[in-house]
Amino acid sequence: MAENCDEKLAGAFAVKCGHRPKQGVSKKWYINHDDIDVEATQKSHRGTVVTALVLKTGAKIYPAGGKKVSSIEHALSIKDFSNGYIHTDRFTVTYKGEDERERVQELVDGARVVTLSKKIDTGISGELSYEIAGLESGMEITEDNYNSAADSGVTKIAVATKEGEEESTAIKLFKMTGGIEAIETWIETNEYVAPVTP
């Protein structure tokens, strides 16, 4: 049986056979801005690095669907030097039951979104990093395209920082004591898992 190169793993990354890992976002989660305990969340390096991302009791982060390594938009633009940065992001939410439908409706109703992305860098070994967009003000939905025929329901969503509420820094790095392993343990602990129905 021929090896499926798209599925081959090198460490924690998906790769093409014979090539080093491709740059891009390999996984993404979305978080309701109101679910973040802003006071307890800790930052360093003038606010550019998040060292502790703290959620309110019972809150979860939600996996966004997409390709293994995709061209998920992760754009930054400087609005102007006095007001800071506009963040924009795109992700896909795959229907996973009524809870998922309710969360998407929250976004449509005006909830603010923060995104956490697992990124493969351009380094020789394809280093991993985690980045957070929208932590300060949250991003509002700008596009909502729902396809009921795809995978029992897929919503493609675009979000952006609201004009006049620019973020003070570019996208923040997520770095915990304990490195990538500590971050992945945090994600596993805080990621929403749909209940199994009998």
Side-chain angles (χ1 to χ4, degrees), residues 33-34 38 85-87 110-114 133-140 160-168 172:
H33 188 264
D34 288 341
V38 178
Y85 296 82
I86 296 286
H87 296 177
R112 302 294 182 95
V113 181
V114 176
L135 183 64
E136 291 167 23
S137 64
M139 296 175 285
E140 290 188 328
T161 307
K162 187 176 180 179
E163 192 168 352
E165 298 182 4
E166 290 83 358
E167 301 274 317
S168 66
K172 301 177 191 301

Side-chain angles (χ1 to χ4, degrees), residues 4 12 18 20 28 34 48 68 84 93 95 109 113 120 156:
N4 183 343
R20 71 178 187 178
K28 188 181 290 285
D34 288 341
T48 62
K68 235 180 210 14
V93 179
Y95 178 73
D109 287 345
V113 181
I120 297 173
K156 292 186 177 180

Side-chain angles (χ1 to χ4, degrees), residues 51-66:
T51 54
L53 181 58
V54 182
L55 303 180
K56 294 178 181 175
T57 304
K60 294 290 181 183
I61 65 174
Y62 302 101

Side-chain angles (χ1 to χ4, degrees), residues 56-153:
K56 294 178 181 175
T57 304
K60 294 290 181 183
I61 65 174
Y62 302 101
K67 300 174 184 176
K68 235 180 210 14
V69 177
S70 70
S71 57
I72 293 171
E73 189 174 322
H74 207 55
L76 279 178
S77 60
I78 298 176
K79 182 72 175 175
D80 61 48
F81 287 109
S82 61
N83 289 331
Y85 296 82
I86 296 286
H87 296 177
T88 64
D89 211 344
R90 294 177 181 271
F91 55 91
T92 302
V93 179
T94 304
Y95 178 73
K96 293 177 182 155
E98 292 305 314
D99 287 349
E100 198 79 63
R101 190 188 298 271
E102 285 181 24
R103 283 194 296 278
V104 172
Q105 189 59 46
E106 283 181 4
L107 305 186
V108 175
D109 287 345
R112 302 294 182 95
V113 181
V114 176
T115 57
L116 169 62
S117 298
K118 180 178 183 178
K119 190 174 179 185
I120 297 173
D121 211 339
T122 52
I124 303 257
S125 306
E127 293 90 345
L128 287 177
S129 63
Y130 286 84
E131 295 180 338
I132 299 170
L135 183 64
E136 291 167 23
S137 64
M139 296 175 285
E140 290 188 328
I141 189 167
T142 56
E143 290 177 36
D144 165 33
N145 298 307
Y146 177 68
N147 183 348
S148 61
D151 296 328
S152 300

Side-chain angles (χ1 to χ4, degrees), residues 6 11 37 39 41 44 65 79 84 89 92 120 122 125 130 134 139 153 158 170 176 180-181 193-194 196-198:
D6 286 332
D37 186 334
E39 303 247 328
T41 292
S44 66
K79 182 72 175 175
D89 211 344
T92 302
I120 297 173
T122 52
S125 306
Y130 286 84
M139 296 175 285
M176 293 177 64
I180 295 295
E181 190 174 303
V193 178
V196 177
T197 53

Side-chain angles (χ1 to χ4, degrees), residues 3-61:
E3 181 180 35
N4 183 343
C5 295
D6 286 332
E7 296 297 324
K8 183 179 176 185
L9 296 178
F13 346 102
V15 299
K16 300 276 186 188
C17 290
H19 297 278
R20 71 178 187 178
K22 180 182 174 185
Q23 181 184 20
V25 175
S26 64
K27 198 163 181 186
K28 188 181 290 285
W29 296 263
Y30 66 99
I31 311 165
N32 188 319
H33 188 264
D34 288 341
D35 287 342
I36 295 174
D37 186 334
V38 178
E39 303 247 328
T41 292
Q42 297 173 17
K43 293 174 279 187
S44 66
H45 296 80
R46 296 191 178 185
T48 62
V49 176
V50 175
T51 54
L53 181 58
V54 182
L55 303 180
K56 294 178 181 175
T57 304
K60 294 290 181 183
I61 65 174

